[in-house]
Amino acid sequence: MKSPLLSLPGAVPAEAPDEGVAAHYGDLFREQRALADGKGFVDLSHRGVVTVSGADRLTWLHLLLTQHVSELEPGHAADALILSANGHVEQAVYLVDDGTTTWLHTEPDRQGELVAYLESMRFFYRVEVVDRTAGYAVTHLPAGSIAAPPADAVVRETSYGRDLFVPRDGLRAFADTYGPAVGVLAHEALRVEAHRPRLGLETDHRTIPHEVGWIGSAVHLQKGCYRGQETVARVQNLGKPPRRLVFLHLDGSDVRIPVHGDEVRLASDGPEGRKLGFVTTSVRHHELGPIALALVKRNLPADAGLIVGADATAAAQEVVVAP
């Protein structure tokens, strides 16, 4: 769904998986600094929006999600996952309840799969699931922003800012009030800096929550009764995940930075060494320079020097998920 804000001055369209919104508006580092300072807003209107209403909505969602939401109070945000029967991550949802309706947003073009799964699990519960993407858009106000949300917005407040569900036909008016607009590349740079995983980038078809740091933030270990719980409990109590997320400081002398999928190897083994992982997201940060998240084998030493990609870019790792 193409955002009307792509017509703003300087807007450069984003590439996959963020097509439909602006990557930046002409000055990537200025936009990052503005966001870090609590100024402006990010257009995330390409994300899917789903609502669940009805008397049983929270107790029903509690049975399906990895998060404890049966007693979620109005206005309180929660992150949650939907897992396969084998415990692999299928959906990541970001939700808030307004007292009568639970609002969720998810990755672009994933709302259809989400609605189909939720509908298949309705049974006798008093719930109604609706894809609201055509009528509502997600925008983001950064942490530290003093701007008051519009009266018609549903607000999801987190430690890193506020996600707003706003009427899609009011996006241009929203931009006039809450500008300057900041592109998704700036939003991604701060996400990588904060080590926050993203579905489809930090995950693949076999990712389990432990590998990317979702235990605690999106998976509640004291609740049961959801698909994939057995894997979560078994790995948490008896085993260790096969891979772990790391944060990489990349050599800033290279013109090109590694991209999603570029292979990670030990520096001591050279470019022909054994593949030990891959880059999931890489960005240019206004203060840290080129940085990335990567998924590597669990037993890779935390102090090992690494090289990344065909250019053998040097990389130093910081632990996100402990070995």
Side-chain angles (χ1 to χ4, degrees):
M1 188 166 290
K2 186 176 180 180
S3 172
L5 303 190
L6 282 171
S7 63
L8 292 178
V12 175
E15 299 178 351
D18 292 318
E19 299 103 325
V21 296
H24 61 84
Y25 295 88
D27 192 335
L28 175 60
F29 290 156
R30 178 190 60 78
E31 293 170 32
Q32 283 187 32
R33 287 191 290 269
L35 208 59
D37 291 340
K39 300 175 182 176
F41 77 97
V42 186
D43 177 14
L44 299 178
S45 60
H46 60 318
R47 293 185 65 81
V49 177
V50 174
T51 59
V52 181
S53 57
D56 296 334
R57 66 188 184 283
L58 291 177
T59 53
W60 178 67
L61 287 170
H62 185 79
L63 298 174
L64 305 177
L65 304 179
T66 58
Q67 188 58 270
H68 196 299
V69 297
S70 60
E71 300 170 4
L72 187 66
E73 296 181 4
H76 286 215
D79 301 352
L81 309 174
I82 293 175
L83 307 180
S84 72
N86 293 323
H88 299 138
V89 179
E90 292 188 343
Q91 289 274 1
V93 296
Y94 304 87
L95 61 145
V96 68
D97 194 84
D98 67 7
T100 59
T101 301
T102 303
W103 294 75
L104 309 91
H105 69 80
T106 190
E107 289 296 323
D109 299 323
R110 299 295 289 265
Q111 66 272 16
E113 297 173 22
L114 177 60
V115 169
Y117 172 69
L118 294 177
E119 285 286 359
S120 73
M121 302 300 290
R122 281 182 61 184
F123 304 117
F124 55 84
Y125 290 94
R126 296 170 295 171
V127 294
E128 181 182 10
V129 180
V130 180
D131 181 352
R132 305 293 290 272
T133 310
Y136 281 84
V138 180
T139 60
H140 177 78
L141 297 177
S145 172
I146 61 173
D152 57 356
V154 177
V155 181
R156 181 180 180 275
E157 187 153 6
T158 71
S159 60
Y160 51 87
R162 288 172 286 175
D163 296 337
L164 310 181
F165 298 88
V166 299
R168 186 171 291 276
D169 59 10
L171 272 175
R172 284 305 301 260
F174 184 94
D176 292 341
T177 302
Y178 294 92
V182 173
V184 290
L185 287 183
H187 189 258
E188 283 291 276
L190 299 193
R191 178 183 70 80
V192 171
E193 179 190 13
H195 307 166
R196 295 197 308 271
R198 182 176 173 187
L199 185 76
L201 292 176
E202 279 63 58
T203 70
D204 57 22
H205 66 284
R206 59 192 180 98
T207 299
I208 60 175
H210 312 71
E211 295 179 319
V212 295
W214 265 325
I215 299 298
S217 63
V219 177
H220 194 290
L221 292 175
Q222 303 305 314
K223 64 155 290 196
C225 301
Y226 61 88
R227 190 174 66 178
Q229 179 207 357
E230 294 82 0
T231 298
V232 170
R234 183 169 63 251
V235 174
Q236 185 69 21
N237 296 321
L238 302 175
K240 295 179 180 178
R243 302 177 295 179
R244 62 185 180 87
L245 191 68
V246 297
F247 177 81
L248 300 179
H249 291 274
L250 303 171
D251 181 1
S253 63
D254 292 338
V255 174
R256 174 188 176 276
I257 64 172
V259 298
H260 178 82
D262 276 357
E263 296 180 351
V264 176
R265 294 177 169 85
L266 283 174
S268 59
D269 289 347
E272 303 304 319
R274 183 166 59 98
K275 175 185 174 182
L276 298 172
F278 64 95
V279 170
T280 58
T281 307
S282 61
V283 296
R284 295 187 184 275
H285 192 277
H286 69 287
E287 289 183 341
L288 300 177
I291 56 176
L293 294 173
L295 204 57
V296 301
K297 292 183 180 297
R298 177 184 56 81
N299 58 4
L300 175 69
D303 59 352
L306 306 175
I307 54 174
V308 181
D311 297 333
T313 301
Q317 60 172 312
E318 288 184 10
V319 172
V320 177
V321 174

